[in-house]
């Protein structure tokens, strides 16, 4: 595609790019189960959520609800919007940990909403990034709507990992990456917008088609932006389906995840994050790190959701990429599985962690 574009960029941008974008968006809509008229493609979940939040009109006393598991970029976004609109309040609720069942999550949301009638928008994770938990978004969307709150779902990790039916979910907005689990190149994500909000949700970039009557046209043309990642979504979905589709991929990845998490927790003398199995993501899980002096030193130094210092050390010394998360006052390895992984990858992860976090003699 890049060669085709560069041979004749004039023809590409004037006559090909827009139609191919709309065709790719239609393929994504079919893949996740939604009306194509409600879906646009954006660079990533962060840009999609920015488009939603920065398009909204805010009044004095309005509130935005997020949680202690909200992705840090989204937390920064709501803090930025609140700073630009001084009369907005950010309500940050804690998700109770450990969790026995999803009722506890719904009840926690209900209590905060009851105490904070000023909430206008709730940003709700479908799968939390820091803890790899599936939240009960259907129940939370219903709860929000019963209380006059708009529901924006951060589904960054969900396309390709969970079955989605966005028309049935009926959130106000849903955003999810296609370059995480659907094999698209970076960056490619979907933004689903309820028809009630088509005319009030605008692209981050104001470009030539900003006033177009059609939602997809407003998002498709961003000047000479590189739209190739969006256009490859069609082939990425075909590849995904060629592997057997979601049911086969989930079965394969879940089995490897269960084996690897059991092996790692035994080797590290630890446990997995204490949440119900029904709330565990199919391809991701948190395994506790070994309880050593070195681990505790890293825990003390970790201020946000992730231990960037430890992650970098693991990569620099062992060329292993993993995510080290800070949850419940402890450090956990957020282990991920995809079809290209094998058992040897997790033995290497096991040994890298043991090498770095061992207690000195």
């Amino acid at each position: 595609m890049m060669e085709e574009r560069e041979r004749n960029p004039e023809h590409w941008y004037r006559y090909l790019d827009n139609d191919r974008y709309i065709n790719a968006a239609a393929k994504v809509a079919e893949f996740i189960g939604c009306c194509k008229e409600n879906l646009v493609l954006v660079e990533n979940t962060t840009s999609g959520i920015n488009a939603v939040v920065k398009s909204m009109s805010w009044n004095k006393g309005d509130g935005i609800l997020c949680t202690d598991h909200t992705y840090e970029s989204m937390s920064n976004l709501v803090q930025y919007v609140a700073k630009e609109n001084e009369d907005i309040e950010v309500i940050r609720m804690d998700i109770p940990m450990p969790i026995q069942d999803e009722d506890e999550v719904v009840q926690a949301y209900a209590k905060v909403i009851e105490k904070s009638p000023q909430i206008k928008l709730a940003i709700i994770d479908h799968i939390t990034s820091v803890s790899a938990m599936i939240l009960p978004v259907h129940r939370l969307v219903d709860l929000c709507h019963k209380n006059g709150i708009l529901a924006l779902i951060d589904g960054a990790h969900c396309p390709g990992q969970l079955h989605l039916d966005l028309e049935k979910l009926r959130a106000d907005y849903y955003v999810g990456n296609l370059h995480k689990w659907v094999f698209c190149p970076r960056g490619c994500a979907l933004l689903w917008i309820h028809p009630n909000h088509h005319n009030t949700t605008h692209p981050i970039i104001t470009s030539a088609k900003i006033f177009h009557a059609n939602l997809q046209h407003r998002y498709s043309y961003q000047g000479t932006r590189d739209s190739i990642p969006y256009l490859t979504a069609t082939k990425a979905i075909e590849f995904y389906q060629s592997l057997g589709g979601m049911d086969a991929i989930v079965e394969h990845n879940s089995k490897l995840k269960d084996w690897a998490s059991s092996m790692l927790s035994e080797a590290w003398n630890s446990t997995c994050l204490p949440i119900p199995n029904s709330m565990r993501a199919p391809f991701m899980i948190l395994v506790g790190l070994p309880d050593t002096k070195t681990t505790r030193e890293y825990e003390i130094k970790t201020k946000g959701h992730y231990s960037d210092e430890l992650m970098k050390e693991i990569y620099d010394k062992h060329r292993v990429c993993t995510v080290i998360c800070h949850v419940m006052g402890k450090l956990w390895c957020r282990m991920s599985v995809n079809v290209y992984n094998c058992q040897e990858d997790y033995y290497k992860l096991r040994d890298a962690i043991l090498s770095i976090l061992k207690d000195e003699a």
Side-chain angles (χ1 to χ4, degrees):
M1 281 190 186
M2 187 178 294
E3 182 179 351
E4 178 187 5
R5 181 186 64 194
E6 296 309 310
R7 279 202 304 266
N8 193 338
E10 179 81 7
H11 182 255
W12 174 278
Y13 282 108
R14 288 192 184 278
Y15 308 117
L16 299 180
D17 193 51
N18 185 74
D19 288 346
R20 291 183 178 182
Y21 173 99
I22 291 175
N23 289 339
K27 184 70 174 182
V28 172
E30 178 185 359
F31 175 69
I32 64 166
C34 75
C35 297
K36 62 182 181 181
E37 293 80 9
N38 297 332
L39 184 139
V40 296
L41 300 177
V42 293
E43 186 176 5
N44 48 49
T45 297
T46 299
S47 59
I49 293 179
N50 266 266
V52 171
V53 175
K54 292 180 179 178
S55 293
M56 294 183 65
S57 297
W58 300 100
N59 298 315
K60 183 176 181 179
D62 286 341
I64 305 176
L65 176 62
C66 58
T67 79
D68 57 336
H69 290 240
T70 299
Y71 191 58
E72 287 183 328
S73 293
M74 303 307 106
S75 294
N76 291 339
L77 168 62
V78 297
Q79 293 292 342
Y80 173 84
V81 171
K83 183 178 179 180
E84 293 296 301
N85 301 268
E86 295 181 358
D87 294 326
I88 293 178
E89 180 183 0
V90 176
I91 296 96
R92 181 183 170 94
M93 62 163 277
D94 293 336
I95 293 179
M97 297 290 292
I99 296 174
Q100 299 298 321
D101 58 54
E102 67 177 37
D103 289 345
E104 295 179 9
V105 176
V106 177
Q107 291 165 7
Y109 268 90
K111 288 179 181 178
V112 172
I113 289 172
E114 183 179 4
K115 293 179 180 178
S116 307
Q118 74 274 30
I119 297 172
K120 179 175 183 175
L121 174 71
I123 300 178
I124 303 169
D125 289 285
H126 197 164
I127 296 177
T128 58
S129 176
V130 69
S131 47
M133 289 192 299
I134 303 174
L135 296 187
V137 291
H138 285 267
R139 296 176 66 185
L140 295 176
V141 168
D142 288 344
L143 177 65
C144 287
H145 288 170
K146 288 177 182 176
N147 288 274
I149 298 170
L150 300 174
L152 165 55
I153 309 301
D154 180 347
H157 281 277
C158 296
Q161 190 169 182
L162 297 178
H163 285 285
L164 301 177
D165 187 345
L166 301 187
E167 304 300 332
K168 184 177 180 180
L169 177 61
R170 302 305 280 176
D172 295 278
Y173 315 92
Y174 192 104
V175 192
N177 288 318
L178 296 164
H179 54 247
K180 287 187 180 294
W181 303 105
V182 192
F183 307 111
C184 285
R186 288 157 299 278
C188 185
L190 65 94
L191 168 58
W192 182 93
I193 303 172
H194 190 283
N196 290 347
H197 309 302
H198 281 197
N199 293 328
T200 56
T201 308
H202 312 296
I204 296 175
I205 303 298
T206 302
S207 192
K209 295 186 178 181
I210 190 65
F211 298 116
H212 199 285
N214 181 277
L215 176 71
Q216 291 180 329
H217 283 269
R218 294 200 294 271
Y219 281 81
S220 66
Y221 186 76
Q222 301 284 309
T224 53
R225 172 190 62 185
D226 182 6
S227 59
I228 288 176
Y230 307 144
L231 309 188
T232 60
T234 298
K235 291 296 182 181
I237 291 170
E238 289 177 4
F239 176 71
Y240 183 95
Q241 301 291 15
S242 75
L243 298 175
M246 179 169 289
D247 290 343
I249 293 173
V250 167
E251 181 181 6
H252 173 275
N253 289 355
S254 295
K255 286 181 179 178
L256 182 55
K257 181 201 72 173
D258 292 343
W259 169 85
S261 60
S262 177
M263 181 272 293
L264 292 173
S265 59
E266 181 178 351
W268 297 342
N269 192 26
S270 66
T271 61
C272 296
L273 188 70
I275 59 175
N277 287 333
S278 61
M279 295 181 67
R280 296 196 190 280
F283 306 165
M284 306 156 65
I285 191 169
L286 266 63
V287 181
L289 296 183
D291 183 16
T292 67
K293 180 182 177 182
T294 306
T295 302
R296 291 190 290 274
E297 289 173 350
Y298 274 109
E299 287 172 350
I300 293 170
K301 290 188 288 185
T302 302
K303 302 303 181 184
H305 280 168
Y306 307 99
S307 177
D308 294 329
E309 183 180 351
L310 179 53
M311 288 159 56
K312 186 175 187 302
E313 184 174 357
I314 294 168
Y315 181 76
D316 287 346
K317 290 184 177 179
H318 298 277
R319 287 298 186 264
V320 172
C321 291
T322 192
V323 179
I324 305 299
C325 303
H326 192 245
V327 180
M328 299 174 60
K330 296 174 55 179
L331 290 181
W332 308 74
C333 173
R334 194 192 75 191
M335 188 201 76
S336 298
V337 173
N338 213 330
V339 294
Y340 43 74
N341 290 121
C342 61
Q343 291 185 352
E344 183 60 34
D345 295 330
Y346 301 98
Y347 287 131
K348 188 174 182 181
L349 171 61
R350 176 199 63 188
D351 296 342
I353 292 291
L354 289 174
S355 172
I356 292 172
L357 297 181
K358 66 184 178 183
D359 281 327
E360 299 296 334

